Amino acid sequence: MTRGITLLGATGSVGASTLEVVRANPERFRIHGLTAHTQVEKLFELCWEFRPDVVVVATAEDAKGLFDRLRDAGVFTQIEYGAHALEETAASRGADVVVAAIVGAAGLAPTLAAARAGKRVLLANKEALVMSGRLFMQAAREGGAELLPIDSEHNAIFQCMPRIVGHGKLRVGEGVERILLTASGGPFRQRDPATLDSVTPAEACAHPNWSMGRKISVDSATMMNKGLEVIEAHWLFDAPAERIEVVVHPQSIVHSLVSYADGSVLAQLGNPDMRTPIAHALAYPERIGAGVRQLNLTVIARLDFEPPDFKRFPCLKLAYDALAQGGAAAVLNAANEIAVEAFLQGRIRFTGIARIVSAVLDAGLAVQPDSLEHVLQLDKTARAAAQILVAAEAR
């Protein structure tokens, strides 16, 4: 049976990889919905190719422009716009699967709507769990949603964890001792920490192994992305922070590992290509072709591992601290988004990212949110505090 897919964030890197898997398996998948924020030209091209039932853009102006172009091209697709339309499309009955690939806090509400609607939710959006882990997991349980991670690290853990019969959720326990999240170390793994103050946005975005968007690339360079993944793993696998370990693995071949009570360690390996975890989750429990070349270990020849340096990567330590505080993860995420944006705009230095996030965490804003509205208010307050600190750094 063909599965209908709604792709939230169709024009980003995860969206592009998802569409490549769909192209490779047209008999299995069809595109029901596509969303994009401002890249309307790309969205037009995707509508021409995939003929979705509905697309969502940011503004009424963009919606009208896209509608006119599609009508002239003979493509009749429902065009919606705005945040409410994003949530409605995520929960629409026309799709069995929702790929949550919107970067940042903007992806929280539609991903939560998909969980409440009982979809198979393919999670690439870290913020759904980082900002509102307790609320999101509760919504998924109550809605009967199936959560499948498509971050390469969490998907690897998913593949290495035991299945708990009758529940569908994976958890530490059941003979599992530790989760080991691998990290490439990014472009600055061996760079002199004394020189990090002069890092440029171009240098920070030049990831040695993965092709990603600018914001995610900077998060990889600071290792904040790994910190956010620690928080994600805490919620996805019901794992306390002390059982989640980060291991630097520069080759990005081992995507993560799970350590068991009997001394066994299971690892998932593969070439660094997002199509692999996406294909795994789209077709689960089956395996399908994704267009990814097979791994040749004799060519790789070696696999290296080392502990992370918290002095070089203070953002990773800040994420562990936020998880320990309880309720601080939303503050951490909001402050980081503001600081990374300021860095990419040339307003603050690379090392200013960690300083700003740390200062916002120290401001005492952290509380355990009890509703989506509370999460969004906490996010807004933390962003405002971070903006003040950015302005002070930029002077």
Side-chain angles (χ1 to χ4, degrees):
M1 184 176 66
T2 304
R3 280 180 169 164
I5 298 171
T6 290
L7 178 48
L8 306 175
T11 57
S13 59
V14 173
S17 293
T18 301
L19 293 172
E20 285 190 36
V21 176
V22 171
R23 288 186 188 100
N25 297 274
E27 74 288 352
R28 287 179 172 269
F29 309 115
R30 65 174 183 84
I31 297 298
H32 166 70
L34 296 173
T35 82
H37 186 57
T38 57
Q39 297 194 56
V40 179
E41 181 61 38
K42 282 189 179 180
L43 193 57
F44 170 78
E45 294 170 2
L46 295 177
C47 288
W48 173 260
E49 179 181 359
F50 290 99
R51 309 297 169 108
D53 300 317
V54 59
V55 299
V56 182
V57 294
T59 67
E61 182 181 2
D62 284 342
K64 184 180 185 310
L66 182 60
F67 175 83
D68 290 343
R69 290 190 63 191
L70 290 173
R71 179 194 57 198
D72 293 345
V75 178
F76 300 98
T77 292
Q78 181 180 341
I79 313 294
E80 302 289 350
Y81 67 92
H84 183 65
L86 268 179
E87 294 181 50
E88 286 192 334
T89 301
S92 168
R93 292 183 179 179
D96 314 292
V97 178
V98 174
V99 181
I102 297 175
V103 175
L108 172 58
T111 306
L112 192 58
R116 286 171 173 158
K119 304 296 183 183
R120 169 176 283 195
V121 181
L122 274 55
L123 275 172
N125 173 278
K126 292 178 172 60
E127 289 72 22
L129 286 170
V130 170
M131 293 177 66
S132 62
R134 193 183 308 279
L135 293 171
F136 186 83
M137 296 305 292
Q138 180 181 347
R141 286 192 297 271
E142 292 174 353
E146 183 180 21
L147 303 182
L148 298 179
I150 56 174
D151 270 345
S152 61
E153 295 83 1
H154 296 94
N155 183 264
I157 295 165
F158 177 83
Q159 293 190 51
C160 295
M161 287 280 274
R163 301 299 180 263
I164 299 171
V165 177
H167 192 285
K169 182 183 176 184
L170 308 180
R171 62 170 70 87
V172 165
E174 306 295 327
V176 173
E177 286 293 310
R178 287 181 304 155
I179 286 171
L180 297 110
L181 280 168
T182 57
S184 70
F188 307 134
R189 181 176 66 90
Q190 295 181 310
R191 180 159 169 164
D192 181 355
T195 69
L196 292 177
D197 203 46
S198 62
V199 163
T200 67
E203 289 174 319
C205 291
H207 195 283
N209 300 332
W210 295 93
S211 175
M212 305 179 292
R214 281 164 61 80
K215 193 268 180 184
I216 299 175
S217 295
V218 174
D219 283 348
S220 178
T222 64
M223 278 189 74
M224 178 62 86
N225 73 318
K226 208 54 51 178
L228 298 178
E229 287 171 13
V230 167
I231 297 169
E232 266 191 289
H234 164 72
W235 291 110
L236 271 176
F237 305 111
D238 200 18
E242 61 270 19
R243 291 201 181 189
I244 306 170
E245 181 179 338
V246 173
V247 179
V248 176
H249 167 53
Q251 291 90 356
S252 295
I253 296 299
V254 177
H255 297 299
S256 277
L257 312 93
V258 174
S259 175
Y260 285 81
D262 61 6
S264 300
V265 178
L266 301 187
Q268 188 268 335
L269 286 71
N271 285 307
D273 192 315
M274 278 301 297
R275 290 175 295 177
T276 296
I278 290 168
H280 174 264
L282 281 176
Y284 182 79
E286 298 180 64
R287 298 276 184 170
I288 61 174
V292 179
R293 74 184 189 280
Q294 293 295 310
L295 180 65
N296 188 331
L297 287 173
T298 61
V299 172
I300 299 299
R302 61 180 289 171
L303 300 172
D304 298 306
F305 303 92
E306 61 192 56
D309 180 353
F310 285 128
K311 290 184 179 179
R312 184 188 300 273
F313 300 114
C315 285
L316 177 58
K317 177 66 165 56
L318 290 172
Y320 273 103
D321 292 344
L323 184 55
Q325 286 181 38
V331 173
L332 173 92
N333 180 74
N336 181 65
E337 286 195 16
I338 294 299
V340 170
E341 181 182 18
F343 167 69
L344 287 171
Q345 293 172 348
R347 298 171 60 202
I348 65 170
R349 295 181 182 274
F350 181 75
T351 50
I353 296 172
R355 282 195 297 273
I356 286 168
V357 173
S358 179
V360 176
L361 283 176
D362 289 343
L365 302 176
V367 291
Q368 193 66 253
D370 56 12
S371 67
L372 177 59
E373 292 72 26
H374 195 178
V375 170
L376 296 177
Q377 182 57 52
L378 188 59
D379 176 80
K380 182 179 178 180
T381 302
R383 286 172 187 273
Q387 290 283 19
I388 293 170
L389 292 167
V390 165
E393 286 247 351
R395 289 192 187 124

